Each structure stands twice: as structure tokens, then as C-alpha cells.
Amino acid sequence: DELQVQRAENLAARKPYELRPSFAAQYPDDGGELTDGVLTQTGFGDGKTVGWFGQRVGVMLDLGDVRELDTLAAFVQGGGYAAVYAPDLIRAWTSTDGEDWQLVMVGPLEKEVISATPVGGEQNELCWLRAKVEAKAGRFVRLQFDGQGWLMLSELQVLAGGENLAAGCKYHLQPMPRSEEKYADDGARLTDGDYCRPGEGWGKAVGWSSADPEIIVDLLQPTQVSTVRLHCLGGGQAGIYFPRSVTAATSIDGLTW
């Protein structure tokens, strides 16, 4: 009476993920540096900042539950010293499910300079950037930073009535802080739907020459999974081989697999 053919939905499409081991970066994130409550005291030199150069940067925070929020804040380095500047523009979205997003803010934030030290004709500033938003409910908050030179983030806060809902929360970066390692990941390449095709080389791939890497995809919500697929390169050219084996595991909480 009826026949239908439906393409299976890729649940991992554009979802965030993390790699273990990660690729070394100049100013890396340790997995929790932006919500640990520890603020940089001097800027990039003390290892308490996460840095990108000349890139639009996105951070998605998972508050764990749907909460109502009213203020967003970022502790950053700026002032121009060593080409480090506070971001010119910040956009923010909220979502209850990680799929549908609502824009809640576009613009510069109120700036509170905590310290400013002259260095070689420039300023080394440490400052809070804050913005009030109309009270919105969401579990996920996505921030996008636009600026020039180096962006150095030390801490992010999502507040409701003065309470920091983001304290210790999980988050994802896109792109990852830049790495000089060959075939390093950018935080989006493995779930963006674009993969290497014959004759294209390896520019769309992420590569390791040692260790047994793990890829942890965050589907954001508990989801029924039926198939796991990977697009890999192999065959022996340039010493590139398919993995001998792949093990897949699922978890509801990221702790028990």
C-alpha cells in the first residue's frame, strides 16, 4: 500500500565534541578554565587565559538544567599590549534543547577595568565585560566574540539575581585554540558534514601519528543511537592506515559508559 525511504538523521551533525589527547595550543583550555572561578592576575603570561588570534570565537555553555538568566559576563585581557584586545562585539543566544536558539543580545558590553598597566606604550588591561539581558530561560548559552588581534578569555559567567549559574559548568569551544601541530583539529571538522573525497588530499581530516585517540561527541540531550559511522582515510599512502579497531560506547552523564 505504501513504501517510504527515509534518510537516517545524523545526530552528531554540528554537535560539539572533544578529543583525547587534544592538540597542543599556545594558549590552551584545560577543559574547565573558563568556568573554574580562577581569574588571571597578569594576562596571558600566567596560564589563566585561553587565547585565539584573528578568529571569531564561539563558546557554548551547558548549565545542566533550564534556568532563567538575566546577565552575561566575561573576564578578559585587553588594552593593546602584545596585540591583545577586548572583543569589539559579543552576540548571545539561549536554547532549552541545544537545537533551537534565540538571540538575546548583540552589541558591546559594559566594561569595568580591574587593572591597567602601561607596557611599552600600550596598556595591559584586565577587565569585566557585562551585559544585562531581558530575563530568558535556557539550559544552553552560546556566546560569540568578534574582535581584533588576540582574544584572551579568563572567565565566563551567566547570572540570575547575582548567582553565577555557569560556575563549574561544562562548555564547548569553536574553534579550539590554534595549534601548530600538523593535521590538528579546529573543534568543528569532525561533525560539519564535509569530508575528504578522492583527489582532495587530507586538508579536511584530523590526524594522529601515535596514541589511541578518543572522540567524545556531546549530543546535548539523551538520544537513542542505532549506528555509529566514521569516515576515515587509509590504504598505506604516506603512512596513513585505517584503524585496526574502533570501540564505541554511550553514556547519559559522561561519567558511566
Side-chain angles (χ1 to χ4, degrees), residues 54-72:
Q55 293 176 288
R56 172 177 285 178
V57 175
V59 184
M60 186 183 71
L61 300 105
D62 182 353
L63 305 180
D65 294 297
V66 176
R67 303 289 299 273
E68 191 168 276
L69 58 105
D70 56 43
T71 304
L72 303 172

Side-chain angles (χ1 to χ4, degrees), residues 8-80:
E9 179 187 4
N10 178 14
L11 303 173
R14 295 174 297 281
K15 290 297 193 301
Y17 59 87
E18 64 177 287
L19 304 180
R20 298 179 183 174
S22 60
F23 290 91
Q26 187 171 357
Y27 299 106
D29 177 47
D30 65 5
E33 195 163 324
L34 298 183
T35 57
D36 62 2
V38 180
L39 306 182
T40 180
Q41 300 297 310
T42 62
F44 58 83
D46 64 6
K48 302 300 181 184
T49 56
V50 182
W52 299 259
F53 182 79
Q55 293 176 288
R56 172 177 285 178
V57 175
V59 184
M60 186 183 71
L61 300 105
D62 182 353
L63 305 180
D65 294 297
V66 176
R67 303 289 299 273
E68 191 168 276
L69 58 105
D70 56 43
T71 304
L72 303 172
F75 193 69
V76 305
Q77 183 182 4

Side-chain angles (χ1 to χ4, degrees), residues 128-171:
W128 278 107
L129 303 177
R130 296 188 179 91
K132 291 279 188 180
V133 298
E134 183 180 345
K136 297 291 182 182
R139 170 179 169 177
F140 303 97
V141 178
R142 193 170 76 221
L143 303 173
Q144 180 179 287
F145 299 87
D146 291 4
Q148 57 180 319
W150 281 98
L151 170 67
M152 290 290 175
L153 298 179
S154 179
E155 191 76 8
L156 298 173
Q157 293 184 343
V158 178
L159 300 138
E163 178 190 0
N164 179 20
L165 307 178
C169 85
K170 184 178 181 181
Y171 59 85

